[in-house]
Amino acid sequence: MKSRTARLAATAGAVALLGALAATAPAVAAPAPASATAQVAASQFIDWYPNKEQCQSGGAYYLRHGYSSYICQLDPMRGWALYVS
């Protein structure tokens, strides 16, 4: 009975470790479509944000202040880039 408990504890620990590693791994974004790339090229870079929600909030701020659109684009090394036009 003790060996079964030890195996269950070891399995639970391994699953927890894998879950923690997966949670800290950077997400890989799919390549942007050509139209999105063209929009970014014609837009003005604003700033880097640590997550998508903050980038979208920044974009909403610029929409309220006269810009017509915004794009949040993920760079796995830097975070979310905000572009406005």
Side-chain angles (χ1 to χ4, degrees):
M1 189 71 167
K2 288 182 181 180
S3 65
R4 182 174 184 220
T5 305
R7 282 184 290 172
L8 286 174
T11 302
V15 169
L17 177 63
L18 288 175
L21 291 174
T24 59
V28 178
S35 61
T37 305
Q39 287 177 337
V40 168
S43 300
Q44 176 184 355
F45 173 77
I46 299 298
D47 202 1
W48 294 102
Y49 293 88
N51 58 51
K52 187 175 183 178
E53 292 78 22
Q54 288 181 355
C55 183
Q56 290 172 334
S57 294
Y61 170 84
Y62 281 92
L63 288 179
R64 289 191 305 269
H65 288 86
Y67 288 85
S68 60
S69 65
Y70 72 90
I71 297 171
C72 289
Q73 188 172 26
L74 178 63
D75 179 339
M77 299 302 287
R78 296 183 191 167
W80 290 88
L82 175 62
Y83 296 89
V84 296
S85 59

